[in-house]
Amino acid sequence: MSAPERFLERLTLRRTDDPSWVAARRQAGAARFEAMGFPTRRDEAWKYTDVRRIAEGDFALATDAGFDAARFEAQRLDIDAYRLVLVDGVFSEALSELEGLPDGVQVEPLSRALSANHEAVGGALGRLAGVDFSPFTALNTAFADEGVVVRLAPGAVVDKPIYVLLLSRANGQAVMSHPRVLIEAGARSEATVIEHYSGEAEAANFTNVVTEVLLDRGAIVDHYKLQEAALTDLHVASIHVDQSRDSRFNSYNLNLGGALVRTDLVTDLNGEGAEAAYNGLFFVQGRQHVDNHTLVNHNSPRTFSNENYKGVLDDRSHGVFNGKVFVKKDAQQIEAYQNNANLLLSDRAEIDTKPELVIYADDVKCSHGATTGQLDEDAVYALRSRGIDEPMARALLTLAFVGEVMDKVRLNVIAERVERAVAGRLPERFNLADLVETAEAVQEA
Amino acid sequence: MLEVKDLHVTVEDKAILNGLNLTINAGEVHAIMGPNGAGKSTLSAVIAGKDGYEVTQGTILFEGQDIFEMEIEERARAGLLLGFQYPIEIPGVKNIYLLKAALNAQRAARGEGEIPAPEFMKLVREKSAEMKMDPSFLQRAVNEGFSGGEKKRNEILQMLVLQPKLAMLDEIDSGLDIDAMKVVASGVNSLRSADRAILLVTHYQRLLNHIEPDRVHVLVDGRIVKSGDKELALELEARGYDWVLEESAA
Ligand SMILES: Nc1ncnc2c1ncn2[C@@H]1O[C@H](COP(=O)(O)OP(=O)(O)OP(=O)(O)O)[C@@H](O)[C@H]1O
Ligand SMILES: [Mg+2]
């Protein structure tokens, strides 16, 4: 039996009360996946990322959403938010907190949205992430029966972040999950949505998530993807964004965890005045492999994009950055900036970076670049000469390196968490929160 | 406090210090003068613990302790600080982060806890006011985009916060305008006390008008060839180095 067949065999174990259009889509996904098979390194888009660990794995489907309460408390973001929790892809009512949603704001598990009113979801689901995008999107389409639906009525402004927590357990038998996130932001609506991947330390599951974000005129969405899963977890994600006139999409792709993580982020700027900001940070260590493929399509004149990805690589980790900006024929008055800077903390860490501009218009302001370097040893010396020991000196400089991206992160709980992880080699007495507070105090005074 | 004995230092097999002796007692201010390339910066860098120098002979004791046994950060925590001739920029590291991390490192070495945030704030604001630095400098990355004079003032600000036992200042007066010179000098003077010492490296008598030295040394070809009181600096200003060289050759 081929690898795709082995994966698809699990489909038969699913419940089958799907509405007919869902069933048809599943079949299309399954057929497409079977035809494409898993990508190999001969595929240009997967040149640096070997997915055999996924293809050769044996992953069951989880059937319950139990999770240790103490561990849950320790791992969740301490944040006032509307929270929806999936455990190995299964919705956990017990851990979720969705009360008090304002008028015009819907946040529901996908299963519930489908059973309550599947037609309302039908139009949007799968519109951006077709089964041809990649074998993984096709696979997700075949399996997805859980996830999150976020719908904002025109003008709705969500007062608190919408926090989706996806937990991975250390199961005896590894499992796979194929969550589907759908965000439909009506005209002039505003929301912050967090996808947070975390879980038990030894978890070695396969998460294959697809996110679709539709922004109507003037909508503003801040989208966080915080990946903190176990260093043994496998993760493939694609995020598809469609932006109408004057909308704004801010992506924060913050990657700390996972053994193998591949994220595709694709935005179509389809209306004048639409603006996308891609802020990315990956901090990898051990033998972690993190691959970010980003694409911005400037399909309309007067659209703007600004991308800044920073990578910090330690030990024998491997990072991939492939960023492409595409300006359609005659889409004039475009501004597109792209930058990827990487810091290698070890000789054996490796980065493959490829920033790419493809432009078919002439009235365009663009820049792109990639740099890779090490910590400045003179700066390490300068700090040590003031009594700061070497690990802390290096941590301070590493924080400084990621500062440009972290300064953009508006949710302090997340910024602090990431900074702590990046500066993780700090001695116990170094109190980052205290430093941040101190800096703020100076600012205010 | 500091005792340098028969110090020989080479850089890439080139002899730079050739049997240098220097003793600095608590409460004293010493000035080292001498022609370009004589080895003045090398001496202060070796005391501070900069890499790249090979000590082939001699000893340096700081408060009776062999400093070659101490890492650079240990020396700093013990109270040995060098203000650089060319302070470097550290992009992204805020001044306030450096000051706090450095001060807490020093306190930890003394077995003290971290300085409470309000106390720290009060301290750094006071000291930056003394250096006539706007508090916004605390939020800026260390020396990034600072003017030459601002960098020098920033070095002294670090000294004022960290209160070294022995402050070594390498050409702290270079690039300063007349007003900044006064600010820097008064900062340095405020470090003077019976249990501290200061070592100034300078080319100009002008600085010594503001910071009066107890001892003045002339360093030539890696050796101290003449020492005297503050009058020696005046004499050097008037007559240059040639007579010292002739005298020492004789
Ligand atoms: N890293 C190095 N590599 C090679 N030569 C060096 C190095 N550091 C210092 N030297 C040499 O050692 C000698 C002494 O240098 P040093 O900087 O100590 O002089 P100085 O007395 O401070 O001079 P100035 O008054 O110009 O600052 C010079 O000839 C210099 O070129
Ligand atoms: Mg010098």
Side-chain angles (χ1 to χ4, degrees), chain A residues 384 386-387 429 434 439, chain B residues 73 77 82 100 114 139 158:
Chain A
R384 290 178 64 204
R386 296 300 175 247
R429 67 171 180 278
D434 192 24
Chain B
E73 56 264 46
R77 283 180 226 153
L82 170 61
K100 187 143 198 247
E114 285 196 3
Q139 282 302 323
Q158 293 170 11

Side-chain angles (χ1 to χ4, degrees), chain A residues 283-311:
Chain A
F283 170 62
V284 283
Q285 50 189 325
R287 286 182 167 264
Q288 276 183 282
H289 179 102
V290 172
D291 179 348
N292 286 302
H293 266 61
T294 69
L295 171 61
V296 182
N297 288 313
H298 288 265
N299 300 327
S300 161
R302 252 179 44 71
T303 49
F304 314 100
S305 67
N306 196 341
E307 172 166 27
N308 194 1
Y309 265 65
K310 298 256 185 175

Side-chain angles (χ1 to χ4, degrees), chain B residues 66-130:
Chain B
D66 177 0
I67 65 167
F68 295 139
E69 305 274 298
M70 299 159 80
E71 294 287 343
I72 175 167
E73 56 264 46
E74 291 174 316
R75 299 184 202 187
R77 283 180 226 153
L80 203 55
L81 282 195
L82 170 61
F84 295 104
Q85 183 172 358
Y86 306 107
I88 68 158
E89 304 192 359
I90 312 181
V93 175
K94 288 180 181 173
N95 248 333
I96 192 150
Y97 286 10
L98 180 151
L99 291 172
K100 187 143 198 247
L103 186 58
N104 280 334
Q106 194 189 80
R107 290 169 67 107
R110 286 198 299 262
E112 293 169 22
E114 285 196 3
I115 184 167
E119 198 181 310
F120 174 71
M121 287 314 307
K122 193 165 161 286
L123 176 72
V124 293
R125 295 180 139 269
E126 238 170 61
K127 299 302 183 189
S128 39
E130 262 179 67

Side-chain angles (χ1 to χ4, degrees), chain B residues 11-12 14 16 34-42 53 85 171 203:
Chain B
V11 174
E12 289 161 6
K14 183 183 160 201
I16 297 177
N36 292 129
K40 303 181 296 298
S41 294
T42 303
Y53 300 94
Q85 183 172 358
E171 292 194 33
H203 287 292

Side-chain angles (χ1 to χ4, degrees), chain A residues 79-82 98-105 107 152 155-163 189-193 411:
Chain A
I79 192 172
D80 184 21
Y82 302 108
L98 292 168
E99 296 79 41
L101 281 162
D103 282 348
V105 179
V107 180
L152 310 170
V157 175
V158 193
D159 53 339
K160 298 191 277 192
I162 296 163
Y163 175 28
S189 64
E190 288 177 33
T192 295
V193 180
L411 292 175

Side-chain angles (χ1 to χ4, degrees), chain B residues 193-209:
Chain B
S193 79
D195 51 1
R196 295 177 201 286
I198 294 167
L199 176 63
L200 299 169
V201 171
T202 184
H203 287 292
Y204 303 106
Q205 159 62 25
R206 204 172 49 152
L207 179 71
L208 305 180
N209 286 335

Side-chain angles (χ1 to χ4, degrees), chain B residues 130-189:
Chain B
E130 262 179 67
M131 291 316 293
K132 304 250 181 321
M133 290 171 78
D134 190 273
S136 66
F137 275 96
L138 295 167
Q139 282 302 323
R140 285 175 58 184
V142 180
N143 294 331
E144 197 178 26
F146 286 26
S147 75
E150 286 164 352
K151 286 182 185 168
K152 293 298 175 79
R153 275 194 274 173
N154 205 32
E155 292 292 289
I156 303 298
L157 173 64
Q158 293 170 11
M159 300 275 171
L160 294 187
V161 170
L162 298 174
Q163 294 283 314
K165 287 182 187 152
L166 175 63
M168 299 183 287
L169 301 168
D170 192 355
E171 292 194 33
I172 196 70
D173 48 342
S174 70
L176 293 182
D177 66 32
I178 298 157
D179 290 339
M181 171 86 87
K182 284 185 188 149
V183 171
V184 163
S186 88
V188 175
N189 281 326

